[in-house]
Amino acid sequence: MLPLASGRLIAGRLRGGRHAPPVSPRRVLVAHHLLLGDTIMLSPLLAKCRERWPSAEVVMTCPVPYAGLYATRPYGVRAVPYDPRDATTLAALHAEAGFDLALIPSDNRFSWLACALDSRWIVAFAGDSPRYKDWPVDELRPYPAAPMAWGDLVAGLVDGPPPARYRVENWPAPPAAPFEMPRAPFCVLHAGASTPLKQWPAPRWRTLGQRLEASGHNVVLTTGPAEEHLLDAIDPVRAWVRYPGTLSLPQLWQLLAKAALLVCPDTGIAHLARLIGVPTVALFGPGSALLSGAGDFWRDSAFTALTIPDFPCRDQTITMKREVAWVRRCERSYGTGAGQCPEARCMLALSSDLVWRAVEERLSIAAV
């Protein structure tokens, strides 16, 4: 339930109490509750806000587990931990009320949150459903007709030229609790993913690790929480250092910052790697290497998006619950029922040799 004051603000807005768009907003809100990779892909929007309004206070809602990444306030942005399922996180948000501009980059239901926080002008993307999500929105902007990375796309919520390309100095490393670091030189193989359809087979990870060992690199295995079984399948004798979801995101930052290379599926860790600057080979199966790739903002990053272009069943045109004609991705779930996928054929198409060639190329570039 919203506090009474917030309910009055919403009621007044829906009765027509709207304002004019701000020319030079003093306070800007970015409201969302996205997964890790999508949260990181908001960086071009944050950078553009800072370039457009250098003295503005920019506040972003942030899922609680990711807030530590923003401790050093990249682009001067202050992240406020928020979970729509946890009412205790609302108190800090309500203390922030009073924004000249609110930007809604994904689900338009957060326009209601922006409205409750007394945002005078709310901008969001068109095409969300159901339509009641849009009621508080003052300005709906269409998705672009030209294909581009979602990070570049979302910066279009703000007028003006694209932001300057990312540099690692734009995001100081967050403070992290001490942990035992593996012996250098080492490469990180992150096997975890949000769905089995993004996972690469264990024998191929094992082959990759053996090849890296033969090239003089120590091997480090990582996953997210509750995924240690993936590491047991890759390295049943526990020959390699492993962190089975035991590192916080700031600690994982510290690990990757010292790594010679990261190999991982198309998941949040791949986006984290672009912030850090670690050379990366990301394995794209059901996801779009264009939509979730480096785009223009991260064009200078040491990032290889390895994919099979135009894979036949990567044919869905939906992103962020919107139909977008140029999008080609797969959001099917794992299983044998209708509309499900029983086997990650798109990931199986990424052979051990194909991945190794990409790894060799990325390591040779880093060595120059």
Side-chain angles (χ1 to χ4, degrees):
M1 293 292 291
L2 291 169
L4 181 59
S6 298
R8 288 172 178 165
L9 285 169
I10 293 173
R13 187 182 192 89
L14 298 182
R15 284 196 301 268
R18 298 178 186 265
H19 304 276
V23 176
S24 298
R26 294 170 300 173
R27 301 192 76 227
V28 179
L29 171 69
V30 179
H32 72 94
H33 191 262
L34 291 163
L35 297 175
L36 175 62
D38 296 327
T39 298
I40 292 172
M41 281 196 287
L42 296 178
S43 300
L45 175 62
L46 305 181
K48 193 171 182 179
C49 286
R50 180 55 57 215
E51 291 180 12
R52 182 78 189 276
W53 306 299
S55 61
E57 180 185 14
V58 180
V59 176
M60 182 181 73
T61 63
C62 181
V64 176
Y66 316 150
L69 290 179
Y70 294 84
T72 54
R73 296 196 179 184
Y75 297 105
V77 172
R78 185 160 52 84
V80 178
Y82 170 61
D83 185 341
R85 297 159 298 187
D86 183 356
T88 62
T89 63
L90 285 173
L93 271 181
H94 277 287
E96 300 283 349
F99 292 95
D100 303 301
L101 174 66
L103 305 170
I104 314 298
S106 54
D107 193 324
N108 286 2
R109 66 191 173 103
F110 290 101
S111 68
W112 290 87
L113 176 65
C115 184
L117 295 177
D118 191 19
S119 300
R120 295 170 63 84
W121 192 259
I122 302 174
V123 182
F125 285 114
D128 202 355
S129 62
R131 291 297 303 276
Y132 73 79
K133 293 181 180 181
D134 298 342
W135 290 352
V137 178
D138 298 289
E139 183 180 350
L140 286 168
R141 299 193 170 196
Y143 261 44
M148 63 175 64
W150 191 75
D152 296 336
L153 180 157
V154 78
L157 285 173
V158 174
D159 291 331
R165 289 179 182 174
Y166 180 77
R167 297 287 181 270
V168 292
E169 55 266 26
N170 296 147
W171 200 304
F179 67 99
E180 187 173 354
M181 191 73 68
R183 184 165 52 88
F186 63 88
C187 297
V188 175
L189 308 183
H190 184 88
S194 57
T195 166
L197 297 177
K198 287 188 175 184
Q199 291 172 4
W200 206 42
R204 298 188 189 183
W205 282 117
R206 190 179 311 121
T207 297
L208 176 59
Q210 291 166 347
R211 284 174 160 175
L212 285 168
E213 274 193 319
S215 71
H217 293 87
N218 293 312
V219 176
V220 176
L221 301 177
T222 63
T223 64
E227 292 181 321
E228 187 167 9
H229 63 282
L230 298 176
L231 304 189
D232 290 337
I234 295 168
D235 179 29
V237 299
R238 295 177 176 251
W240 298 327
V241 174
R242 62 171 64 186
Y243 300 96
T246 55
L247 299 180
S248 67
L249 285 175
Q251 287 175 320
L252 188 57
W253 180 303
Q254 299 291 338
L255 177 71
L256 295 179
K258 295 184 180 299
L261 179 77
L262 165 70
V263 184
C264 63
D266 162 34
T267 188
I269 302 308
H271 301 285
L272 179 65
R274 289 201 294 253
L275 295 184
I276 299 165
V278 56
T280 300
V281 175
L283 312 183
F284 281 79
S288 166
L290 166 65
L291 193 66
S292 298
D296 187 64
F297 186 69
W298 278 290
R299 185 171 298 279
D300 298 331
S301 63
F303 184 84
T304 299
L306 193 62
T307 189
I308 304 298
D310 303 319
F311 200 82
C313 53
R314 194 190 296 124
D315 58 359
Q316 294 178 317
T317 57
I318 296 176
T319 185
M320 296 296 170
K321 302 181 180 178
R322 294 163 170 84
E323 286 278 355
V324 183
W326 51 264
V327 167
R328 293 294 181 273
R329 65 186 305 190
C330 172
E331 291 190 328
R332 296 175 180 90
S333 57
Y334 177 68
T336 57
Q340 294 181 306
C341 181
E343 185 180 46
R345 293 189 295 120
C346 51
M347 289 296 286
L348 292 173
L350 301 174
S351 68
S352 292
D353 287 343
L354 183 65
V355 172
W356 179 244
R357 286 195 294 272
V359 165
E360 279 189 310
E361 181 179 7
R362 186 49 68 190
L363 284 173
S364 67
I365 293 172
V368 174

